[in-house]
Coordinates of all heavy atoms in Angstrom, one line a residue:
Y1017 N -1.1 13.3 -5.8 CA -1.7 12.9 -7.1 C -0.7 13.2 -8.2 O -0.2 14.3 -8.3 CB -3.0 13.7 -7.3 CG -4.0 12.9 -8.1 CD1 -5.0 12.2 -7.4 CD2 -4.0 12.9 -9.4 CE1 -6.0 11.5 -8.1 CE2 -5.0 12.2 -10.2 CZ -6.0 11.5 -9.5 OH -6.9 10.8 -10.2
P1018 N -0.5 12.2 -9.1 CA 0.4 12.5 -10.2 C 0.0 13.7 -11.0 O -1.2 13.8 -11.5 CB 0.3 11.2 -11.0 CG -0.2 10.2 -10.1 CD -1.1 10.9 -9.1
A1019 N 0.9 14.6 -11.2 CA 0.5 15.9 -11.9 C 0.0 15.7 -13.3 O -1.0 16.3 -13.7 CB 1.7 16.8 -11.9
A1020 N 0.7 14.8 -14.0 CA 0.2 14.6 -15.4 C -1.1 13.9 -15.5 O -2.0 14.2 -16.3 CB 1.3 13.7 -16.1
A1021 N -1.4 13.0 -14.5 CA -2.7 12.4 -14.5 C -3.8 13.4 -14.1 O -4.9 13.3 -14.6 CB -2.7 11.2 -13.5
R1022 N -3.5 14.3 -13.2 CA -4.5 15.3 -12.8 C -4.8 16.2 -14.0 O -5.9 16.5 -14.3 CB -3.9 16.1 -11.6 CG -4.9 17.2 -11.1 CD -4.4 18.1 -10.1 NE -3.8 17.4 -8.9 CZ -4.6 17.0 -7.9 NH1 -5.9 17.2 -7.8 NH2 -4.0 16.4 -6.9
A1023 N -3.7 16.6 -14.7 CA -3.9 17.5 -15.9 C -4.7 16.8 -16.9 O -5.5 17.4 -17.6 CB -2.6 17.9 -16.4
A1024 N -4.6 15.5 -17.1 CA -5.3 14.7 -18.1 C -6.7 14.3 -17.6 O -7.4 13.7 -18.4 CB -4.5 13.5 -18.5
G1025 N -7.0 14.5 -16.3 CA -8.3 14.1 -15.8 C -8.4 12.6 -15.5 O -9.5 12.1 -15.5
L1026 N -7.3 12.0 -15.3 CA -7.3 10.5 -15.1 C -7.4 10.1 -13.6 O -6.8 10.8 -12.8 CB -6.0 9.9 -15.6 CG -5.7 10.0 -17.1 CD1 -4.3 9.4 -17.4 CD2 -6.7 9.1 -17.8
S1027 N -8.2 9.1 -13.4 CA -8.2 8.4 -12.1 C -7.4 7.1 -12.4 O -7.2 6.7 -13.5 CB -9.6 8.1 -11.7 OG -10.3 9.2 -11.4
G1028 N -7.0 6.5 -11.3 CA -6.2 5.2 -11.5 C -6.1 4.4 -10.2 O -6.7 4.7 -9.2
R1029 N -5.3 3.4 -10.3 CA -5.0 2.5 -9.2 C -3.6 2.0 -9.2 O -3.0 1.9 -10.3 CB -6.0 1.4 -9.1 CG -5.9 0.4 -10.3 CD -7.0 -0.6 -10.3 NE -8.2 0.0 -10.7 CZ -9.4 -0.2 -10.1 NH1 -9.5 -1.1 -9.1 NH2 -10.5 0.4 -10.5
A1030 N -3.1 1.6 -8.1 CA -1.8 1.0 -8.0 C -1.8 0.0 -6.8 O -2.6 0.2 -5.8 CB -0.7 2.0 -7.8
T1031 N -1.1 -1.0 -6.9 CA -0.9 -2.0 -5.8 C 0.6 -2.0 -5.5 O 1.4 -2.2 -6.4 CB -1.4 -3.4 -6.1 OG1 -2.8 -3.3 -6.4 CG2 -1.2 -4.4 -5.0
I1032 N 1.0 -1.9 -4.2 CA 2.4 -2.0 -3.9 C 2.5 -3.3 -3.0 O 1.6 -3.7 -2.3 CB 2.9 -0.8 -3.1 CG1 2.0 -0.4 -1.9 CG2 3.0 0.4 -4.0 CD1 2.6 0.7 -1.0
Q1033 N 3.7 -3.9 -3.1 CA 4.0 -5.0 -2.3 C 5.2 -4.6 -1.3 O 6.2 -4.0 -1.8 CB 4.4 -6.2 -3.1 CG 4.8 -7.4 -2.3 CD 4.9 -8.7 -3.2 OE1 4.1 -8.9 -4.0 NE2 6.0 -9.4 -3.0
C1034 N 5.0 -4.9 0.0 CA 5.9 -4.4 1.0 C 6.1 -5.4 2.1 O 5.3 -6.3 2.3 CB 5.4 -3.1 1.7 SG 4.8 -1.8 0.6
S1035 N 7.2 -5.3 2.8 CA 7.4 -6.0 4.0 C 6.9 -5.2 5.2 O 7.0 -4.0 5.2 CB 8.9 -6.3 4.2 OG 9.4 -7.2 3.2
V1036 N 6.4 -5.9 6.2 CA 5.9 -5.2 7.4 C 7.0 -5.2 8.5 O 7.6 -6.3 8.7 CB 4.7 -5.9 7.9 CG1 4.1 -5.2 9.2 CG2 3.6 -6.0 6.9
T1037 N 7.3 -4.1 9.0 CA 8.3 -4.0 10.1 C 7.6 -4.4 11.4 O 6.4 -4.4 11.6 CB 8.9 -2.6 10.2 OG1 7.8 -1.7 10.7 CG2 9.4 -2.1 8.9
A1038 N 8.5 -4.7 12.4 CA 7.9 -5.0 13.7 C 7.2 -3.9 14.3 O 6.2 -4.1 15.1 CB 9.1 -5.4 14.7
A1039 N 7.5 -2.6 13.9 CA 6.8 -1.5 14.5 C 5.5 -1.2 13.7 O 4.7 -0.3 14.0 CB 7.7 -0.2 14.4
G1040 N 5.2 -2.0 12.6 CA 4.0 -1.8 11.9 C 4.1 -0.9 10.7 O 3.1 -0.6 10.0
G1041 N 5.3 -0.5 10.3 CA 5.5 0.3 9.1 C 5.7 -0.6 7.9 O 5.8 -1.8 8.1
L1042 N 5.9 0.0 6.8 CA 6.1 -0.8 5.6 C 7.6 -0.5 5.1 O 8.0 0.7 5.2 CB 5.1 -0.4 4.5 CG 3.7 -0.6 4.8 CD1 2.8 -0.2 3.6 CD2 3.4 -2.1 5.1
S1043 N 8.2 -1.5 4.6 CA 9.6 -1.3 4.0 C 9.8 -2.1 2.8 O 9.0 -3.0 2.5 CB 10.6 -1.6 5.1 OG 10.6 -3.0 5.3
G1044 N 10.8 -1.7 2.0 CA 11.1 -2.4 0.8 C 9.9 -2.5 -0.2 O 9.8 -3.5 -0.9
C1045 N 9.1 -1.4 -0.3 CA 8.0 -1.5 -1.2 C 8.4 -1.4 -2.6 O 9.3 -0.7 -3.0 CB 7.1 -0.3 -0.8 SG 6.4 -0.4 0.8
V1046 N 7.6 -2.1 -3.4 CA 7.8 -2.1 -4.9 C 6.4 -2.0 -5.5 O 5.4 -2.4 -4.9 CB 8.5 -3.3 -5.5 CG1 10.0 -3.3 -5.0 CG2 7.8 -4.6 -5.1
V1047 N 6.3 -1.5 -6.7 CA 5.0 -1.4 -7.4 C 4.7 -2.8 -8.0 O 5.5 -3.3 -8.8 CB 5.0 -0.3 -8.5 CG1 3.7 -0.4 -9.3 CG2 5.3 1.0 -7.9
A1048 N 3.6 -3.4 -7.6 CA 3.2 -4.7 -8.1 C 2.3 -4.5 -9.4 O 2.4 -5.3 -10.3 CB 2.4 -5.5 -7.1
S1049 N 1.5 -3.4 -9.4 CA 0.7 -3.1 -10.6 C 0.3 -1.7 -10.5 O 0.2 -1.1 -9.5 CB -0.5 -4.1 -10.7 OG -1.4 -3.9 -9.6
E1050 N -0.1 -1.2 -11.7 CA -0.7 0.2 -11.8 C -1.5 0.3 -13.0 O -1.2 -0.4 -14.0 CB 0.3 1.3 -11.7 CG 1.1 1.5 -12.9 CD 2.0 2.8 -12.9 OE1 1.6 3.8 -12.4 OE2 3.2 2.7 -13.3
A1051 N -2.5 1.0 -13.0 CA -3.4 1.3 -14.1 C -3.9 2.7 -14.1 O -4.4 3.1 -13.0 CB -4.5 0.3 -14.2
P1052 N -3.9 3.4 -15.2 CA -3.2 3.1 -16.4 C -1.7 3.1 -16.2 O -1.2 3.9 -15.5 CB -3.7 4.1 -17.4 CG -4.2 5.3 -16.6 CD -4.6 4.7 -15.3
E1053 N -1.0 2.2 -16.9 CA 0.4 2.1 -16.8 C 1.1 3.4 -17.3 O 0.6 4.1 -18.2 CB 1.0 1.0 -17.7 CG 0.8 -0.4 -17.0 CD 1.6 -1.4 -17.7 OE1 2.8 -1.2 -18.2 OE2 1.1 -2.5 -17.9
G1054 N 2.1 3.8 -16.6 CA 2.9 5.0 -16.9 C 2.3 6.3 -16.6 O 2.8 7.4 -16.8
A1055 N 1.1 6.3 -15.9 CA 0.5 7.6 -15.5 C 1.0 8.1 -14.1 O 0.6 9.2 -13.7 CB -1.1 7.4 -15.4
G1056 N 1.8 7.4 -13.5 CA 2.4 7.9 -12.2 C 1.8 7.4 -11.0 O 2.2 7.8 -9.9
F1057 N 0.7 6.6 -11.0 CA 0.0 6.1 -9.8 C 0.9 5.2 -9.0 O 0.8 5.2 -7.7 CB -1.3 5.5 -10.2 CG -2.3 6.5 -10.8 CD1 -2.6 6.5 -12.1 CD2 -2.8 7.5 -10.0 CE1 -3.5 7.4 -12.7 CE2 -3.7 8.4 -10.5 CZ -4.0 8.4 -11.9
G1058 N 1.7 4.4 -9.6 CA 2.6 3.5 -8.8 C 3.6 4.3 -8.0 O 3.8 4.1 -6.8
A1059 N 4.2 5.3 -8.6 CA 5.2 6.2 -7.9 C 4.5 7.0 -6.9 O 5.1 7.2 -5.8 CB 5.9 7.1 -8.9
A1060 N 3.3 7.5 -7.1 CA 2.6 8.2 -6.1 C 2.2 7.4 -4.9 O 2.3 7.8 -3.8 CB 1.3 8.8 -6.7
T1061 N 1.9 6.1 -5.2 CA 1.6 5.2 -4.1 C 2.8 4.9 -3.2 O 2.8 4.9 -2.0 CB 0.9 3.9 -4.6 OG1 -0.3 4.3 -5.3 CG2 0.5 3.0 -3.5
L1062 N 4.0 4.7 -3.9 CA 5.2 4.5 -3.2 C 5.5 5.7 -2.3 O 6.0 5.5 -1.2 CB 6.4 4.2 -4.1 CG 6.4 2.9 -4.8 CD1 7.5 2.8 -5.9 CD2 6.6 1.7 -3.8
A1063 N 5.2 6.9 -2.8 CA 5.5 8.1 -2.1 C 4.7 8.2 -0.8 O 5.2 8.9 0.2 CB 5.3 9.3 -2.9
I1064 N 3.6 7.6 -0.7 CA 2.8 7.7 0.5 C 2.8 6.4 1.4 O 2.2 6.3 2.4 CB 1.3 8.0 0.2 CG1 0.6 6.9 -0.6 CG2 1.2 9.4 -0.5 CD1 -0.9 7.0 -0.7
A1065 N 3.6 5.4 1.0 CA 3.7 4.2 1.7 C 4.1 4.3 3.2 O 3.7 3.6 4.0 CB 4.7 3.2 1.0
D1066 N 4.9 5.4 3.5 CA 5.3 5.6 4.9 C 4.1 6.0 5.8 O 4.2 6.0 7.0 CB 6.4 6.6 5.0 CG 6.1 7.9 4.5 OD1 5.1 8.1 3.7 OD2 6.8 8.9 4.9
R1067 N 3.0 6.3 5.2 CA 1.8 6.7 6.0 C 1.0 5.6 6.5 O 0.2 5.7 7.4 CB 0.9 7.7 5.2 CG 1.6 9.0 4.8 CD 0.7 9.8 4.0 NE 1.4 11.0 3.5 CZ 0.8 11.9 2.8 NH1 -0.5 11.8 2.5 NH2 1.5 13.0 2.4
F1068 N 1.2 4.4 5.9 CA 0.4 3.2 6.2 C 1.0 2.5 7.5 O 2.2 2.5 7.7 CB 0.4 2.2 5.1 CG -0.3 2.7 3.9 CD1 0.3 3.0 2.7 CD2 -1.7 2.7 3.9 CE1 -0.3 3.5 1.6 CE2 -2.4 3.2 2.7 CZ -1.7 3.5 1.6
R1069 N 0.1 2.0 8.3 CA 0.4 1.3 9.5 C -0.3 -0.1 9.4 O -1.5 -0.1 9.2 CB 0.1 2.0 10.8 CG 0.9 3.2 11.0 CD 2.4 2.9 11.2 NE 3.2 4.1 11.2 CZ 4.1 4.4 10.2 NH1 4.1 3.7 9.2 NH2 4.8 5.5 10.3
I1070 N 0.4 -1.2 9.7 CA -0.1 -2.5 9.6 C 0.2 -3.2 10.9 O 1.3 -3.1 11.5 CB 0.6 -3.3 8.4 CG1 0.6 -2.5 7.1 CG2 0.0 -4.7 8.3 CD1 -0.6 -2.6 6.3
S1071 N -0.8 -4.0 11.4 CA -0.5 -4.8 12.6 C 0.4 -6.0 12.2 O 0.1 -6.8 11.4 CB -1.8 -5.4 13.1 OG -2.6 -4.4 13.6
P1072 N 1.7 -6.0 12.7 CA 2.6 -7.0 12.3 C 2.2 -8.4 13.0 O 1.5 -8.4 14.0 CB 3.9 -6.5 12.9 CG 3.6 -5.7 14.0 CD 2.3 -5.0 13.7
P1073 N 2.6 -9.5 12.3 CA 2.4 -10.8 13.0 C 3.2 -10.8 14.3 O 4.1 -10.1 14.5 CB 2.8 -11.8 11.9 CG 3.7 -11.0 11.0 CD 3.3 -9.6 11.1
S1074 N 2.8 -11.8 15.1 CA 3.6 -11.9 16.4 C 4.0 -13.4 16.5 O 3.4 -14.3 16.0 CB 2.8 -11.5 17.6 OG 1.6 -12.3 17.7
A1075 N 5.1 -13.5 17.3 CA 5.6 -14.8 17.7 C 6.0 -14.7 19.1 O 6.7 -13.8 19.5 CB 6.9 -15.2 16.8
N1076 N 5.5 -15.7 19.9 CA 5.7 -15.7 21.4 C 5.3 -14.3 22.0 O 5.9 -13.8 22.9 CB 7.2 -16.0 21.7 CG 7.6 -17.3 21.2 OD1 6.8 -18.3 21.3 ND2 8.8 -17.4 20.7
G1077 N 4.2 -13.7 21.5 CA 3.7 -12.5 22.0 C 4.4 -11.3 21.6 O 4.1 -10.2 22.1
R1078 N 5.4 -11.4 20.8 CA 6.2 -10.2 20.3 C 6.0 -10.0 18.8 O 6.0 -10.9 18.1 CB 7.7 -10.4 20.6 CG 8.0 -10.5 22.1 CD 9.5 -10.8 22.3 NE 9.8 -10.2 23.6 CZ 10.6 -9.2 23.8 NH1 11.2 -8.6 22.8 NH2 10.8 -8.7 25.0
P1079 N 5.9 -8.7 18.4 CA 5.8 -8.4 17.0 C 7.0 -8.8 16.2 O 8.1 -8.7 16.7 CB 5.5 -6.9 16.9 CG 5.9 -6.4 18.2 CD 5.9 -7.5 19.2
V1080 N 6.8 -9.4 15.1 CA 8.0 -9.8 14.2 C 7.8 -9.1 12.9 O 6.7 -8.9 12.4 CB 8.1 -11.3 14.1 CG1 8.5 -11.9 15.4 CG2 6.9 -11.9 13.5
E1081 N 8.9 -8.8 12.2 CA 8.8 -8.2 10.9 C 9.0 -9.3 9.8 O 9.4 -10.4 10.1 CB 9.8 -7.1 10.7 CG 11.3 -7.5 11.0 CD 12.2 -6.2 11.0 OE1 11.9 -5.3 11.7 OE2 13.1 -6.2 10.2
G1082 N 8.8 -8.9 8.6 CA 9.0 -9.8 7.5 C 7.8 -10.2 6.7 O 7.9 -10.8 5.7
A1083 N 6.6 -10.1 7.3 CA 5.4 -10.5 6.6 C 5.3 -9.6 5.3 O 5.7 -8.4 5.3 CB 4.1 -10.3 7.4
V1084 N 4.9 -10.2 4.2 CA 4.8 -9.5 3.0 C 3.3 -9.2 2.7 O 2.5 -10.2 2.7 CB 5.5 -10.2 1.8 CG1 5.3 -9.5 0.5 CG2 7.0 -10.4 2.1
V1085 N 3.0 -8.0 2.4 CA 1.6 -7.6 2.1 C 1.5 -6.9 0.8 O 2.5 -6.3 0.3 CB 1.0 -6.8 3.2 CG1 0.8 -7.6 4.5 CG2 1.7 -5.5 3.4
R1086 N 0.3 -6.9 0.2 CA 0.0 -6.1 -1.0 C -1.0 -5.1 -0.5 O -2.0 -5.4 0.1 CB -0.5 -6.9 -2.1 CG 0.5 -7.8 -2.8 CD -0.1 -8.6 -3.9 NE 1.0 -9.3 -4.6 CZ 1.3 -9.1 -5.9 NH1 0.6 -8.3 -6.6 NH2 2.3 -9.8 -6.4
V1087 N -0.8 -3.8 -0.9 CA -1.7 -2.7 -0.5 C -2.2 -2.1 -1.8 O -1.5 -1.4 -2.5 CB -0.9 -1.6 0.3 CG1 -1.9 -0.5 0.8 CG2 -0.3 -2.3 1.5
P1088 N -3.5 -2.3 -2.1 CA -4.1 -1.7 -3.3 C -4.6 -0.3 -2.9 O -5.2 0.0 -1.8 CB -5.3 -2.6 -3.6 CG -5.7 -3.2 -2.3 CD -4.4 -3.3 -1.5
V1089 N -4.4 0.7 -3.8 CA -4.8 2.1 -3.6 C -5.5 2.6 -4.8 O -5.0 2.4 -6.0 CB -3.6 3.0 -3.3 CG1 -4.0 4.5 -3.1 CG2 -2.9 2.5 -2.0
L1090 N -6.7 3.2 -4.6 CA -7.5 3.8 -5.7 C -7.3 5.3 -5.7 O -7.5 5.9 -4.6 CB -8.9 3.4 -5.6 CG -9.9 4.0 -6.6 CD1 -9.6 3.5 -8.0 CD2 -11.3 3.6 -6.2
W1091 N -6.9 5.9 -6.8 CA -6.7 7.3 -6.9 C -7.9 7.9 -7.7 O -8.1 7.4 -8.9 CB -5.4 7.6 -7.6 CG -4.2 7.2 -6.8 CD1 -3.6 6.0 -6.7 CD2 -3.4 8.1 -5.9 NE1 -2.5 6.0 -5.9 CE2 -2.4 7.3 -5.4 CE3 -3.5 9.4 -5.6 CZ2 -1.4 7.8 -4.5 CZ3 -2.6 9.9 -4.7 CH2 -1.5 9.1 -4.2
R1092 N -8.6 8.8 -7.1 CA -9.8 9.4 -7.9 C -9.7 10.9 -7.8 O -9.4 11.5 -6.7 CB -11.1 9.0 -7.2 CG -11.4 7.5 -7.5 CD -12.8 7.2 -7.0 NE -12.6 7.0 -5.5 CZ -13.5 6.7 -4.7 NH1 -14.8 6.6 -5.1 NH2 -13.3 6.4 -3.5
L1093 N -9.9 11.6 -8.9 CA -9.9 13.0 -8.9 C -11.1 13.5 -8.1 O -12.2 12.9 -8.0 CB -10.1 13.6 -10.3 CG -8.8 13.5 -11.1 CD1 -9.1 13.8 -12.6 CD2 -7.8 14.4 -10.6
G1094 N -11.0 14.6 -7.4 CA -12.1 15.2 -6.6 C -12.1 14.7 -5.2 O -12.9 15.2 -4.4
S1095 N -11.2 13.8 -4.8 CA -11.1 13.4 -3.4 C -9.8 14.0 -2.8 O -8.8 14.2 -3.5 CB -11.1 11.8 -3.3 OG -9.9 11.3 -3.9
D1096 N -9.8 14.2 -1.5 CA -8.7 14.8 -0.8 C -7.5 13.8 -0.7 O -6.4 14.2 -0.5 CB -9.1 15.3 0.5 CG -10.0 16.5 0.4 OD1 -10.0 17.2 -0.6 OD2 -10.7 16.8 1.4
A1097 N -7.8 12.5 -0.6 CA -6.8 11.5 -0.4 C -7.1 10.3 -1.1 O -8.3 10.0 -1.4 CB -6.7 11.3 1.1
P1098 N -6.1 9.5 -1.5 CA -6.3 8.2 -2.1 C -7.0 7.2 -1.1 O -6.9 7.4 0.1 CB -4.9 7.7 -2.5 CG -4.0 8.4 -1.6 CD -4.7 9.7 -1.3
A1099 N -7.8 6.3 -1.6 CA -8.5 5.3 -0.8 C -7.7 4.0 -0.8 O -7.4 3.5 -1.9 CB -9.9 5.1 -1.3
A1100 N -7.3 3.6 0.3 CA -6.5 2.3 0.4 C -7.5 1.2 0.9 O -8.2 1.4 1.9 CB -5.4 2.5 1.4
A1101 N -7.5 0.1 0.3 CA -8.2 -1.0 0.7 C -7.4 -1.7 1.8 O -6.2 -1.4 2.1 CB -8.5 -2.0 -0.4
S1102 N -8.0 -2.7 2.5 CA -7.2 -3.5 3.5 C -6.1 -4.2 2.9 O -6.3 -4.9 1.9 CB -8.2 -4.5 4.2 OG -9.2 -3.8 4.9
P1103 N -4.9 -4.1 3.4 CA -3.7 -4.8 2.9 C -4.0 -6.3 3.0 O -4.6 -6.8 3.9 CB -2.6 -4.4 3.8 CG -3.1 -3.2 4.5 CD -4.5 -3.3 4.5
Q1104 N -3.5 -7.0 2.0 CA -3.6 -8.5 2.0 C -2.2 -9.1 1.9 O -1.3 -8.6 1.4 CB -4.4 -8.9 0.7 CG -5.8 -8.3 0.6 CD -6.7 -8.8 1.7 OE1 -6.7 -10.0 2.0 NE2 -7.4 -7.9 2.3
P1105 N -2.1 -10.3 2.6 CA -0.8 -11.0 2.5 C -0.5 -11.3 1.0 O -1.4 -11.5 0.2 CB -1.1 -12.3 3.2 CG -2.3 -12.1 4.0 CD -3.1 -11.0 3.3
A1106 N 0.7 -11.2 0.6 CA 1.2 -11.4 -0.7 C 0.8 -12.9 -1.0 O 1.0 -13.8 -0.2 CB 2.6 -11.1 -0.9
P1107 N 0.4 -13.2 -2.2 CA 0.0 -14.6 -2.6 C 1.0 -15.6 -2.3 O 0.7 -16.7 -1.9 CB -0.3 -14.5 -4.1 CG -0.5 -13.1 -4.4 CD 0.3 -12.3 -3.4
E1108 N 2.3 -15.3 -2.5 CA 3.3 -16.4 -2.3 C 3.8 -16.5 -0.8 O 4.6 -17.3 -0.5 CB 4.6 -16.1 -3.1 CG 5.3 -14.8 -2.8 CD 4.7 -13.6 -3.5 OE1 3.7 -13.7 -4.2 OE2 5.2 -12.5 -3.3
E1109 N 3.2 -15.7 0.1 CA 3.6 -15.8 1.5 C 2.5 -16.4 2.3 O 1.3 -16.3 2.0 CB 3.8 -14.3 2.0 CG 4.9 -13.6 1.4 CD 6.3 -14.2 1.8 OE1 6.5 -14.7 2.9 OE2 7.2 -14.3 0.9
S1110 N 2.8 -17.1 3.4 CA 1.8 -17.7 4.2 C 1.9 -16.9 5.6 O 1.6 -17.5 6.6 CB 2.1 -19.2 4.5 OG 3.4 -19.3 5.0
A1111 N 2.2 -15.7 5.5 CA 2.3 -14.8 6.7 C 0.9 -14.6 7.3 O -0.1 -14.7 6.6 CB 3.0 -13.5 6.4
A1112 N 0.8 -14.2 8.5 CA -0.4 -13.8 9.2 C -1.1 -12.7 8.4 O -0.4 -11.8 7.9 CB -0.2 -13.5 10.6
A1113 N -2.4 -12.6 8.4 CA -3.1 -11.5 7.8 C -2.8 -10.2 8.4 O -2.7 -10.1 9.6 CB -4.6 -11.8 7.8
A1114 N -2.7 -9.2 7.6 CA -2.4 -7.8 8.0 C -3.7 -7.1 8.1 O -4.6 -7.3 7.3 CB -1.4 -7.2 7.1
E1115 N -3.7 -6.2 9.1 CA -4.9 -5.3 9.2 C -4.4 -3.9 9.4 O -3.4 -3.6 10.0 CB -5.7 -5.7 10.5 CG -6.2 -7.1 10.5 CD -6.9 -7.4 11.8 OE1 -7.1 -6.5 12.6 OE2 -7.2 -8.6 12.0
P1116 N -5.1 -2.9 8.8 CA -4.7 -1.5 8.9 C -4.9 -1.0 10.3 O -5.9 -1.5 11.0 CB -5.5 -0.8 7.9 CG -6.7 -1.7 7.7 CD -6.3 -3.1 7.9
K1117 N -4.0 -0.2 10.8 CA -4.2 0.5 12.1 C -4.8 1.9 11.9 O -4.5 2.5 10.9 CB -2.9 0.6 12.8 CG -2.4 -0.6 13.5 CD -1.2 -0.3 14.3 CE -0.6 -1.5 15.0 NZ 0.6 -1.2 15.8
A1118 N -5.7 2.3 12.7 CA -6.3 3.6 12.6 C -5.2 4.6 13.0 O -4.3 4.4 13.8 CB -7.4 3.8 13.6
G1119 N -5.3 5.8 12.4 CA -4.3 6.8 12.8 C -3.7 7.5 11.7 O -3.2 7.9 11.0

């Protein structure tokens, strides 16, 4: 949780845009949006991006990388962890839909 946001009693949200690896991880993530701006929620979301797992699209029965997804995360005080919604394909991509993996 961003330290300054915690001290100010702020909750917030951020959306990151990432590429999906063939192994289901995220790479090349960037902050697509954050609110409130400058409160650190974008950076905090980037810091936890390696914890997300996504089912990669497949071609000829094999996983392929390169699908672009947006992952929205809601940060709330009083919760142990941020809440991530289901990742969505980035609007400009026609990649297969991504689904979170348990774990």
Side-chain angles (χ1 to χ4, degrees):
Y1017 209 96
R1022 183 184 306 274
L1026 293 175
S1027 293
R1029 66 185 71 223
T1031 299
I1032 56 174
Q1033 182 169 310
C1034 310
S1035 294
V1036 180
T1037 68
L1042 300 178
S1043 68
C1045 297
V1046 296
V1047 176
S1049 66
E1050 75 173 316
E1053 280 193 41
F1057 293 107
T1061 302
L1062 287 174
I1064 64 167
D1066 63 339
R1067 297 181 186 179
F1068 293 106
R1069 293 293 172 254
I1070 310 272
S1071 295
S1074 61
N1076 298 321
R1078 297 178 150 247
V1080 294
E1081 56 187 57
V1084 177
V1085 295
R1086 286 181 176 243
V1087 182
V1089 177
L1090 175 63
W1091 294 84
R1092 289 184 280 179
L1093 285 171
S1095 63
D1096 290 338
S1102 295
Q1104 300 296 314
E1108 63 277 359
E1109 296 291 323
S1110 60
E1115 297 176 10
K1117 282 188 178 177

